[in-house]
């Protein structure tokens, strides 16, 4: 029995099945940059970045040093009662970086989930309204508020209701729903009509506090909302006094080739954004950034947590922002994202099971489809990622058939090219029938 298998057997005796989405029988031991090492001392090129929570790579020296240095001075004292120097510094830096017009304030949390919960709290407090609108295909988190606004998996609702009241979901304008021969303008107008339908039939706009969206959906399949559509929704919110929020947990901090995913939409200026995952290079820290008057609407202890914004996590976050700035990771993501996009487009020409390609920075989704019907092929996608793991590349799927491409933004170009070569090999193996079918679809 391998060390991976032995450790997983130990864990299986006590770990609840709801705690992990099942992909591979791997126990990760260490990581450096874009390389992961498992318990059997096998190396993998990481194309997942811990679900986009390690944009600066694994064990970046500057981040490690900041964590170690702060840990020698003060690991924890609750920010609910007292400020610390790294937290004060981070407040200044985040509010300056926010893609929000006017004065900005910040509130800290422990995860993207509670950041999205907090957005609901602040929006309801500021507007005095109850209702919240989110989108199909959304993934906002697993706390009760964020899991209610999510709509990417039935297991995020099954057996755990009733969920948060006052939440209405509308269709996200994903490319899969575009009709044959429909222009983008026609598609946007049709989807905007679907967005407005609740407001015209049962959802009073003047009782709606918030619309929250992922400008680029992550777990929903890496779909970017069309600019025309997002402009229409934002304008509707402005006209009706509804706050507009963007979930930047997955797509922020350089992931999409801009600092924030909403930067792809110059006409849209959110009232609130949720930040998490990579803000502290994977340490448990999140933040809500919002217009100052909105953030001032809620009083303590309406959104305090014992460890949120503690000295070690905020020190890590300051170091993370240093790395993003000093190593030009936003620009790097945009540049290498163009290389990645061209690679996958070329791959699509060679292999008929590669469908639509959506790459925004070092970030995106690649559809695996049946070559004849062009319908999603989750089994083939499972076969591909299984073969990739055997060849030394860690990649997973979302929506069953969508390859998730999110390498660390620090990945060396040579390593990225090596990953591409391995992906080509796996595709050739799939085409030639050299990969065994799994007993079942793995992953989501």
């Amino acid at each position: 029995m391998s060390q991976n298998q032995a450790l997983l057997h130990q864990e299986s005796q006590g770990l609840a099945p709801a705690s992990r989405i099942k992909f591979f029988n791997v126990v990760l031991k260490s990581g450096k940059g874009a390389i992961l090492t498992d318990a059997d001392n096998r190396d993998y090129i990481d194309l997942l970045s811990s679900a986009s929570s390690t944009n600066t790579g694994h064990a970046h020296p500057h981040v490690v040093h900041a964590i170690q240095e702060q840990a020698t001075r003060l690991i924890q004292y609750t920010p609910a009662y007292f400020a610390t120097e790294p937290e004060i510094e981070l407040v200044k830096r985040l509010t300056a970086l926010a893609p929000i017009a006017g004065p900005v304030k910040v509130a800290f949390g422990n995860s993207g989930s509670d950041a999205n919960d907090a957005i609901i709290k602040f929006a309801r407090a500021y507007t005095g309204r109850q209702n919240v609108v989110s989108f199909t295909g959304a993934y906002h988190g697993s706390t009760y508020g964020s899991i209610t606004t999510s709509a990417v998996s039935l297991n995020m609702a099954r057996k755990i209701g009733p969920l948060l009241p006052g939440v209405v979901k509308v269709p996200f304008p994903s490319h899969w729903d575009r009709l044959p021969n429909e222009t983008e303008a026609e598609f946007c107008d049709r989807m905007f009509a679907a967005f407005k339908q609740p407001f015209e039939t049962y959802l009073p706009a003047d009782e709606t506090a918030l619309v929250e969206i992922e400008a680029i959906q992550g777990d929903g399949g890496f779909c970017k909302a069309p600019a025309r559509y997002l402009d229409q929704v934002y304008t509707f919110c402005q006209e009706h006094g509804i706050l507009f929020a963007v979930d930047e947990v997955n797509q922020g901090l350089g992931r999409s080739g801009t600092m924030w995913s909403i930067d792809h939409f110059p006409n849209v200026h959110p009232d609130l954004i949720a930040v998490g995952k990579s803000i502290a290079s994977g340490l448990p820290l999140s933040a809500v950034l919002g217009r100052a008057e909105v953030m001032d609407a809620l009083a303590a202890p309406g959104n305090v947590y014992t460890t949120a914004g503690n000295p070690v996590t905020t020190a890590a976050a300051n170091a993370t922002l240093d790395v993003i700035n000093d190593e030009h990771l936003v620009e790097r993501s945009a540049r290498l994202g163009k290389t990645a996009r061209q690679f996958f487009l070329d791959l699509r020409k060679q292999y008929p099971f590669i469908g639509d390609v959506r790459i925004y920075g070092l970030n995106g989704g690649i559809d695996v489809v049946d070559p004849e019907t062009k319908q999603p092929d989750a089994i083939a996608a499972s076969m591909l990622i299984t073969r990739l793991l055997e060849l030394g590349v860690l990649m997973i799927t979302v929506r069953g058939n969508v390859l998730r491409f999110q390498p660390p933004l620090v990945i060396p170009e040579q390593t990225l090219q090596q990953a591409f070569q391995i992906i080509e090999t796996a595709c050739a193996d799939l085409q030639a029938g050299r990969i065994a079918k799994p007993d079942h679809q793995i992953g989501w």
Side-chain angles (χ1 to χ4, degrees):
M1 182 182 289
S2 72
Q3 187 69 0
N4 280 328
Q5 292 172 322
L7 290 169
L8 288 168
H9 176 70
Q10 293 176 29
E11 183 193 52
S12 68
Q13 309 306 304
L15 184 70
S19 301
R20 180 176 303 135
I21 299 169
K22 178 68 173 175
F23 278 101
F24 307 117
N25 293 322
V26 169
V27 177
L28 297 175
K29 181 176 69 172
S30 63
K32 189 69 176 176
I35 304 297
L36 292 165
T37 304
D38 72 8
D40 292 326
N41 294 315
R42 186 147 187 264
D43 290 340
Y44 306 90
I45 299 172
D46 183 11
L47 297 187
L48 176 60
S49 299
S50 184
S52 193
S53 66
T54 52
N55 287 0
T56 58
H58 304 290
H60 191 289
H62 184 61
V63 178
V64 170
H65 176 73
I67 293 169
Q68 291 173 331
E69 185 179 59
Q70 180 58 48
T72 64
R73 302 205 313 256
L74 182 65
I75 292 177
Q76 159 68 6
Y77 208 92
T78 176
Y81 296 145
F82 300 104
T84 60
E85 290 179 355
E87 174 261 331
I88 292 169
E89 176 66 15
L90 185 59
V91 167
K92 291 189 298 183
R93 296 178 75 171
L94 284 179
T95 54
L97 283 172
I100 296 169
V104 175
K105 290 189 177 181
V106 60
F108 291 116
N110 296 297
S111 71
S113 296
D114 64 44
N116 284 309
D117 277 14
I119 278 179
I120 297 171
K121 296 179 192 176
F122 285 110
R124 285 177 165 174
Y126 177 72
T127 62
R129 305 173 181 181
Q130 294 185 19
N131 295 314
V132 172
V133 175
S134 62
F135 291 78
T136 57
Y139 183 89
H140 294 301
S142 288
T143 50
Y144 258 96
S146 61
I147 209 168
T148 304
T149 54
S150 298
V152 73
S153 168
L154 288 173
N155 283 348
M156 296 182 77
R158 184 178 278 123
K159 300 181 180 180
I160 59 175
L163 299 178
L164 190 71
V167 175
V168 173
K169 298 183 179 72
V170 294
F172 185 84
S174 66
H175 73 286
W176 294 290
D177 295 325
R178 189 163 163 178
L179 300 175
N181 303 316
E182 189 175 38
T183 67
E184 180 164 305
E186 290 169 340
F187 173 59
C188 291
D189 291 348
R190 180 168 62 85
M191 297 304 293
F192 182 55
F195 168 84
K196 290 191 297 181
Q197 188 175 34
F199 293 101
E200 296 167 345
T201 54
Y202 66 90
L203 179 66
D206 59 2
E207 295 180 13
T208 301
L210 173 71
V211 170
E212 183 174 23
I213 194 169
E214 295 165 277
I216 302 173
Q217 283 195 340
D219 294 286
F222 294 89
C223 290
K224 181 181 179 183
R228 178 185 175 94
Y229 175 83
L230 210 61
D231 288 350
Q232 290 171 316
V233 170
Y234 176 66
T235 299
F236 180 90
C237 291
Q238 293 274 289
E239 291 171 347
H240 294 280
I242 300 170
L243 297 184
F244 185 85
V246 179
D247 183 341
E248 294 280 357
V249 173
N250 187 302
Q251 295 289 309
L253 299 164
R255 175 52 65 186
S256 71
T258 54
M259 178 58 81
W260 310 106
S261 65
I262 199 61
D263 292 338
H264 292 275
F265 304 87
N267 297 326
V268 178
H269 307 286
D271 299 292
L272 296 151
I273 68 168
V275 188
K277 289 188 183 286
S278 278
I279 183 60
S281 291
L283 266 60
L285 178 68
S286 66
V288 173
L289 294 166
R291 289 195 292 117
E293 60 181 323
V294 176
M295 303 298 285
D296 286 344
L298 194 64
N303 195 63
V304 298
Y305 308 88
T306 301
T307 58
N310 77 18
V312 172
T313 60
T314 52
N318 282 313
T320 297
L321 294 178
D322 290 343
V323 174
I324 291 172
N325 181 64
D326 296 345
E327 299 186 17
H328 308 288
L329 294 190
V330 177
E331 297 83 357
R332 199 169 190 278
S333 176
R335 178 172 57 83
L336 291 182
K338 292 177 182 177
T339 301
R341 184 173 186 274
Q342 191 58 57
F343 165 75
F344 286 112
L345 289 174
D346 291 344
L347 201 68
R348 184 173 66 178
K349 295 175 185 175
Q350 190 173 357
Y351 297 103
F353 53 78
I354 299 294
D356 193 58
V357 171
R358 300 171 301 283
I359 302 291
Y360 320 102
L362 278 175
N363 170 62
I366 302 94
D367 295 349
V368 178
V369 299
D370 183 283
E372 300 297 327
T373 66
K374 301 303 179 184
Q375 292 302 302
D377 192 338
I379 296 299
S382 294
M383 294 164 69
L384 260 182
I385 61 172
T386 300
R387 181 63 177 141
L388 285 171
L389 188 79
E390 294 170 352
L391 295 171
V393 167
L394 181 62
M395 197 177 203
I396 68 165
T397 55
V398 294
R399 286 182 65 104
N401 75 304
V402 179
L403 302 179
R404 180 175 186 161
F405 175 74
Q406 291 188 304
L409 305 186
V410 298
I411 188 170
E413 293 187 50
Q414 183 179 359
T415 305
L416 185 62
Q417 290 297 333
Q418 184 183 351
F420 290 159
Q421 290 171 11
I422 292 172
I423 292 170
E424 283 199 73
T425 299
C427 286
D429 288 345
L430 181 62
Q431 179 90 327
R434 293 191 289 263
I435 307 175
K437 279 192 175 183
D439 295 333
H440 57 279
Q441 173 191 328
I442 60 176
W444 287 75

